[in-house]
Amino acid sequence: MRGDKLKPIAIAADRRSELLPNVPTFLEQGLDYRTGTWFGLLAPTKTPPEVIDLLHRSTVALLQEPVVRGKILEQGGRCRGKYARRVPGLHQG
């Protein structure tokens, strides 16, 4: 996001995230959609495997940062979904 390659569009929560204070909630944008914490990364179909691996490694590193990890675990965070990869120290459901 800092390099302007990713653009967060909204947070699906009752209030803005402390980690992304400039990202509005869906409700602020006129859509009444709320859910628990959810993270997802999408890439075009033909994205090279080495780029996917780099995204995965970077995401795992970010999720293991103490402030981020604490916030996720505070909110009952889980790593889940058909394509979810296990993140050490977090649950996969």
Side-chain angles (χ1 to χ4, degrees), residues 5 21-22 28 54 58 73:
K5 292 188 179 197
N22 295 324
E28 287 176 289
L54 175 61
S58 300
L73 293 175

Side-chain angles (χ1 to χ4, degrees), residues 7-18:
K7 181 182 180 187
I9 56 170
I11 299 291
D14 290 330
R15 63 185 191 285
R16 290 187 183 210
S17 168
E18 292 176 24

